Amino acid sequence: MTGKTWAYEDFVEGVSLDLGSKNVSATEIIEFASEFDAQPMHLDEEAGKASILGGLSASGWHTCAMFMRMLCDAFLLDSTSQGSPGIEHVKWKKPVLAGDRLTGKVTVLAKRQSKSRPQLGFVSMRSELFNQRGECVFELENTGMFLTREAIA
């Protein structure tokens, strides 16, 4: 774990971190849905158009998976992350359609060090994904656990 850029101390309340961007293809929507969420609107363009979603739409769980990849690439893989005790809430606010370009951000809401394990800190975050029109399509709040710099020294 030594040499990781992001440790507990590096997260500052109120600061937002950029998650970069991701293009969503019809092929990946269908591949994910075929394995994990085989509802018609995730497998077929015409079924998607006939649904309230308006087109071939990524499963909400696929959206979560894309978010997780963006989070990992942005900073999580270069951090002292010890996982998460859970998710407070997740909302799929608008459909993610084939051809959409997602961008994301994470905002640090609060942080605290563990009383029983002072080498561990809890960072509460709010994450959002937006489509190319700037519409929020996804939001998630969770707490991540990160080691302190002292713990990895």
Side-chain angles (χ1 to χ4, degrees):
M1 279 242 145
T2 58
K4 296 290 186 178
T5 301
W6 291 92
Y8 170 75
E9 296 87 345
D10 299 309
F11 294 95
V12 177
E13 289 182 26
V15 170
S16 291
L17 307 169
D18 180 27
L19 297 181
S21 63
K22 160 107 178 79
N23 292 318
V24 183
S25 72
T27 300
E28 74 178 292
I29 289 173
I30 293 168
E31 286 176 359
F32 185 95
S34 294
E35 187 164 354
F36 301 109
D37 190 352
Q39 296 181 75
M41 69 285 256
H42 306 316
L43 294 169
D44 178 76
E45 179 70 34
E46 292 309 311
K49 285 181 183 174
S51 77
I52 64 170
L53 302 175
L56 182 65
S57 173
S59 161
W61 300 114
H62 184 193
T63 303
C64 287
M66 289 186 284
F67 158 74
M68 193 66 205
R69 179 81 244 184
M70 294 169 74
L71 183 70
C72 284
D73 291 345
F75 68 87
L76 202 62
L77 294 178
D78 190 24
S79 78
T80 62
S81 174
Q82 300 297 294
S84 172
I87 294 173
E88 281 75 40
H89 85 262
V90 63
K91 288 186 182 178
W92 301 304
K93 299 182 74 161
K94 289 192 174 283
V96 174
L97 302 173
D100 277 356
R101 180 173 181 81
L102 301 177
T103 56
K105 71 176 182 175
V106 171
T107 303
V108 177
L109 301 176
K111 61 187 259 187
R112 67 175 177 82
Q113 270 186 278
S114 171
K115 290 181 178 117
S116 61
R117 293 182 176 179
Q119 74 278 12
L120 186 69
F122 297 93
V123 180
S124 297
M125 300 178 246
R126 176 185 176 93
S127 302
E128 298 170 294
L129 294 179
F130 303 90
N131 64 20
Q132 65 278 8
R133 292 177 296 284
E135 300 167 324
C136 184
V137 298
F138 166 90
E139 64 183 38
L140 177 141
E141 287 188 15
N142 76 303
T143 300
M145 300 181 296
F146 297 88
L147 293 177
T148 63
R149 291 225 172 268
E150 184 179 317
I152 61 170

